[in-house]
Amino acid sequence: MYKFFHNKIQQLYTVQVSSTGIGIFRILYGIITFQEIIFLFYFRHLIFDPIPYIDVEYPMIPFFLCIWGVFSIFLIFGYRYQLSAFACYFAWIVFVNFTPMQRDFDGGFDSFMIGAGFFLLFMPGKYSLSIDNLRDKLTNPFIHYSSYKPHTVSILSYYFPIIICLGFLYFDSAIHKLFAPHWRNGLGSWLPATHPYYISAIDMSPLLNQEIFQKIIGYTIFLFQFTFLFFFNHHKLWFFYLLVGVCLHLGITLTLNIYPFGLAMLSFYALLVPFQWWMYTASTLQFKTKTLVVLFDNQCPLCCRTVLFLSHFDIFKSIDFLPVNLHARTFPEFNSISDQLLLTDLYSIDLKTRRTYSGLNTYIKILFDMRYTAFIALILKIPGIYHYAKNKYRKIADSRVRMHCSDTCAPSQNLTEVNLYNSFFNLHESAQTRVTIQRLTKVFIFFLFLQLNSTLHYGFFYRVNLSNHLNPFFQPLIEASNSILLLSQTFLGITPHALYLHDHFKGYDRIFALTYSDQQGIIHWLPFIDNSGRLLAPHWGRVHSMWANIAVTPHIDRIRLEKFIMKITAFWAAKLNLELGSTTFFLLEKPIQAPDVWVNDLRSKNIAQPWHQIGTIQWRNGRISYEIPTL
């Protein structure tokens, strides 16, 4: 086995590909992290307070969420990439494992984000679509921007996270699905989409009511997850896996009330998009011919850095920057301007109208021609702002320093920053390459061992209930396996993916909702669950999991249900400015079906079931009392 993996890694190690996909994945990961931070900030009292707004146990949570948010923005823009990637990875671990998020508010995708965050530490995320890439260029200002070529990286930096974060996940999930009757019946994707707690605001009934279509989807997912690990990079099958994977997770995002999970998984497919597609997309967006030529002094460090900065953000490539001493006389419009005067300002010419610009007007024209920055140009043209900016420009332009290129213009080393990617994937001399390939092989086998430990422990031994029959001889092995699982789940996100199986839905035949009575005695639905039984936005992700997976289950635990009723009523009373002590809340119940076999129009039937009031909840002096006799 070692030799097989060693040969595969050796074969792929020297294959160099574009880094664009990794840059896009970094941006998507950062955006998903940032939106989750906003979610946590909004629900911070519900999630982190023992009693929302009454007993505040973590007063520093908003501060740490803001710090995490800053680093996620850094990650999106690729600024201080290694530091921001580590900060986000560390924050996921701390918040998931050392706050109530672990016990009561599992987001369903936390382990995935931890695993993806770990691999981001070793991925070349700074080489594409990043500010760090610009910072590296600015250290060598006298190298013309056109001399920089797109970075290429080892294809292993794509394949390692795809295999471990997606391939292992899918295969583990498929093993669990074998033990679920509704998945074996081809209804694995259909059943959650008919349960009121899990449905989104989009009515998918026209598709859900097609039995054959739903079974095709269910069995396709089975086939996809079992085989993805082995064939995702096959030249004849890659489009099948890309298409099915995108449709699968886009379907989860649109159909189920767990948008963050669907989007997080969907973001990973930026790594599966063929490299040529990114190049084709870039060439399609870019202008075929330049619209503006800007002349700059190539012996002025400030001018050269300005050109590097502007060209970096000129994503449509509509502007050409040329040294004034080499190209000024090729444009007749500048013949009347002396060489000395051309060096005092930044001159430009519109290639369509042949109109010339100088100074601040050149910058405004550049911002217009870059298209997406046109609003900044409009702001600069406002009277008052324009005159202030023109004076500032004049002071800077007149104080700039020119130098004659000699040794001072020689290329300098890029910014020194820890780069874990270079430690593992950069090409070295032949002797070092052998050592690196051996190291990568051992790392991959180690991850394979961790995943097999999780899959066999929960996907097989637990499912067939062997752990009880093997005692006491195998008890030490079971305990060791649990310890390894704890570490791999905490730091690498390797965890069982037994989502929405029969042990979750079997017997899930009733759901609950909450209403309240105002001071006039009028009954209102708490803006948490509506009269159809659907959890309302923004109660997706971990708040949805708290209620639909922990508070309300096939086997109701009264203590847990009352705990979360307390949290929801206290949280929304504060949000709605209700007088908690004088408001009466009502617990409603209605029956639903969650069968293993096909039932036509089940989504509509579950929604149409009537509600029955089964209890009341009241607060007095900061304490809650329940009257729920039938529970």
Side-chain angles (χ1 to χ4, degrees):
M1 183 177 67
Y2 176 86
K3 187 176 181 180
F4 172 79
F5 290 133
H6 181 275
N7 292 339
K8 283 292 184 182
I9 290 173
Q10 186 176 33
Q11 178 184 350
L12 296 171
Y13 181 74
T14 57
V15 178
Q16 296 289 297
V17 295
S18 169
S19 62
T20 304
I22 292 175
I24 293 174
F25 172 67
R26 185 206 73 233
I27 293 171
L28 295 176
Y29 180 92
I31 291 173
I32 292 167
T33 299
F34 185 69
Q35 71 84 28
E36 188 65 16
I37 294 168
I38 295 174
F39 179 91
L40 290 172
F41 191 88
Y42 180 82
F43 284 109
R44 63 190 183 279
H45 289 287
L46 175 65
I47 295 173
F48 302 109
D49 293 356
I51 305 176
Y53 294 101
I54 297 175
D55 182 7
V56 181
E57 187 172 318
Y58 300 93
M60 291 294 288
I61 284 290
F63 172 76
F64 289 116
L65 285 175
C66 290
I67 296 296
W68 187 10
V70 169
F71 279 111
S72 69
I73 293 174
F74 284 177
L75 189 63
I76 293 170
F77 290 99
Y79 177 70
R80 303 283 182 179
Y81 169 73
Q82 203 71 64
L83 174 63
S84 58
F86 177 79
C88 289
Y89 168 70
F90 181 75
W92 274 109
I93 291 176
V94 170
F95 273 87
V96 168
N97 292 283
F98 299 99
T99 71
M101 285 169 57
Q102 178 197 39
R103 182 179 64 255
D104 298 332
F105 292 89
D106 178 18
F109 74 125
D110 295 332
S111 295
F112 179 81
M113 294 298 284
I114 290 173
F118 175 81
F119 279 99
L120 269 176
L121 298 176
F122 299 89
M123 295 170 74
K126 64 174 286 184
Y127 291 156
S128 182
L129 307 174
S130 70
I131 292 178
D132 279 352
N133 194 18
L134 172 62
R135 291 172 64 231
D136 287 343
K137 293 177 183 178
L138 293 178
T139 60
N140 299 303
F142 293 103
I143 297 179
H144 194 259
Y145 72 96
S146 62
S147 300
Y148 289 97
K149 304 302 179 184
H151 281 280
T152 58
V153 297
S154 172
I155 199 171
L156 285 175
S157 60
Y158 282 83
Y159 280 1
F160 260 56
I162 290 173
I163 291 171
I164 295 169
C165 292
L166 283 186
F168 287 175
L169 181 153
Y170 287 146
F171 193 80
D172 179 81
S173 179
I175 293 292
H176 287 281
K177 287 179 174 64
L178 285 174
F179 296 89
H182 65 287
W183 272 104
R184 294 199 301 269
N185 293 334
L187 302 175
S189 62
W190 168 81
L191 183 57
T194 62
H195 192 297
Y197 277 172
Y198 296 91
I199 60 177
S200 70
I202 303 174
D203 186 357
M204 293 290 186
S205 295
L207 296 178
L208 293 173
N209 294 337
Q210 306 298 321
E211 181 180 2
I212 296 177
F213 177 70
Q214 290 299 317
K215 288 186 175 181
I216 289 174
I217 292 176
Y219 288 126
T220 300
I221 293 173
F222 242 138
L223 175 67
F224 169 82
Q225 293 191 330
F226 262 120
T227 60
F228 178 92
L229 180 62
F230 308 102
F231 300 112
F232 75 90
N233 66 331
H234 193 280
H235 67 283
K236 292 183 178 180
L237 298 174
W238 65 264
F239 185 74
F240 168 79
Y241 288 100
L242 176 64
L243 178 63
V244 173
V246 169
C247 291
L248 167 63
H249 297 297
L250 186 62
I252 291 174
T253 303
L254 297 175
T255 305
L256 304 181
N257 199 17
I258 49 173
Y259 316 119
F261 173 81
L263 291 175
M265 297 293 291
L266 190 60
S267 70
F268 228 89
Y269 280 81
L271 300 177
L272 271 82
V273 172
F275 312 112
Q276 298 85 350
W277 286 21
W278 297 126
M279 298 171 60
Y280 175 77
T281 301
S283 63
T284 302
L285 292 174
Q286 293 169 4
F287 285 85
K288 304 304 178 185
T289 58
K290 305 293 184 181
T291 62
L292 184 71
V293 169
V294 177
L295 301 177
F296 70 99
D297 183 359
N298 62 343
Q299 292 186 341
C300 166
L302 177 61
C303 299
C304 292
R305 287 191 173 94
T306 301
V307 167
L308 287 171
F309 182 88
L310 293 172
S311 64
H312 185 82
F313 291 101
D314 180 23
I315 61 176
F316 299 113
K317 304 303 178 188
S318 59
I319 305 167
D320 198 9
F321 297 89
L322 302 175
V324 65
N325 59 334
L326 299 178
H327 297 277
R329 299 311 168 197
T330 61
F331 299 98
E333 290 81 0
F334 297 126
N335 287 339
S336 60
I337 304 176
S338 66
D339 292 343
Q340 187 62 33
L341 190 58
L342 284 171
L343 293 175
T344 61
D345 264 323
L346 202 65
Y347 281 84
S348 62
I349 178 171
D350 188 320
L351 295 179
K352 291 183 179 180
T353 64
R354 310 306 295 185
R355 183 177 176 181
T356 60
Y357 302 86
S358 65
L360 180 62
N361 291 324
T362 288
Y363 284 98
I364 293 174
K365 178 61 176 171
I366 290 172
L367 293 171
F368 272 122
D369 279 36
M370 287 169 64
R371 301 299 191 268
Y372 71 98
T373 55
F375 71 98
I376 303 177
L378 291 173
I379 293 173
L380 287 175
K381 294 192 73 173
I382 297 175
I385 296 178
Y386 175 84
H387 293 89
Y388 173 79
K390 188 173 183 179
N391 290 334
K392 294 294 290 184
Y393 164 80
R394 190 74 269 152
K395 289 180 181 179
I396 295 172
D398 292 341
S399 62
R400 66 189 178 89
V401 177
R402 301 184 74 235
M403 62 170 57
H404 293 286
C405 279
S406 56
D407 294 337
T408 58
C409 299
S412 61
Q413 295 296 319
N414 287 345
L415 296 172
T416 57
E417 183 180 3
V418 177
N419 191 333
L420 296 179
Y421 166 77
N422 289 336
S423 303
F424 283 87
F425 296 102
N426 246 10
L427 297 178
H428 305 285
E429 296 180 359
S430 57
Q432 183 63 33
T433 298
R434 287 195 296 270
V435 174
T436 302
I437 292 174
Q438 291 173 0
R439 183 193 307 169
L440 289 172
T441 305
K442 293 174 182 177
V443 168
F444 181 80
I445 292 175
F446 175 68
F447 274 96
L448 179 61
F449 164 75
L450 294 178
Q451 182 60 61
L452 284 174
N453 176 64
S454 174
T455 301
L456 290 175
H457 187 105
Y458 285 108
F460 183 69
F461 293 118
Y462 172 79
R463 290 289 173 189
V464 298
N465 203 26
L466 284 183
S467 58
N468 292 332
H469 301 298
L470 296 177
N471 291 340
F473 182 75
F474 285 98
Q475 192 62 33
L477 289 178
I478 295 171
E479 292 178 358
S481 176
N482 280 325
S483 300
I484 295 172
L485 279 169
L486 177 63
L487 292 174
S488 63
Q489 179 173 341
T490 300
F491 297 103
L492 301 175
I494 296 177
T495 186
H497 299 282
L499 300 176
Y500 302 155
L501 301 183
H502 66 292
D503 47 7
H504 180 81
F505 285 110
K506 187 176 182 180
Y508 206 148
D509 55 7
R510 57 176 174 166
I511 59 174
F512 301 97
L514 291 162
T515 60
Y516 68 94
S517 174
D518 63 17
Q519 295 180 350
Q520 288 74 36
I522 301 174
I523 304 296
H524 302 273
W525 287 85
L526 205 65
F528 175 52
I529 297 172
D530 65 10
N531 59 0
S532 68
R534 185 174 62 84
L535 275 82
L536 300 175
H539 300 94
W540 52 69
R542 61 188 75 254
V543 175
H544 163 272
S545 177
M546 171 273 293
W547 187 259
N549 299 342
I550 300 175
V552 184
T553 65
H555 309 286
I556 300 294
D557 184 311
R558 187 182 184 112
I559 295 176
R560 287 192 302 181
L561 179 61
E562 290 181 350
K563 171 185 176 180
F564 293 120
I565 289 174
M566 175 270 295
K567 277 182 164 283
I568 291 295
T569 53
F571 177 80
W572 276 111
K575 286 287 186 182
L576 298 173
N577 295 317
L578 301 176
E579 181 60 42
L580 193 59
S582 60
T583 302
T584 300
F585 297 90
F586 304 98
L587 183 66
L588 307 182
E589 177 192 64
K590 78 170 178 176
I592 62 166
Q593 298 181 62
D596 294 333
V597 295
W598 174 264
V599 176
N600 187 50
D601 204 22
L602 182 59
R603 183 185 190 273
S604 299
K605 291 176 181 178
N606 280 336
I607 288 175
Q609 290 292 332
W611 292 96
H612 305 283
Q613 180 180 318
I614 62 170
T616 59
I617 301 100
Q618 290 184 311
W619 286 83
R620 293 290 184 270
N621 300 320
R623 301 175 71 90
I624 190 171
S625 63
Y626 306 89
E627 293 183 12
I628 315 175
T630 61
L631 188 62

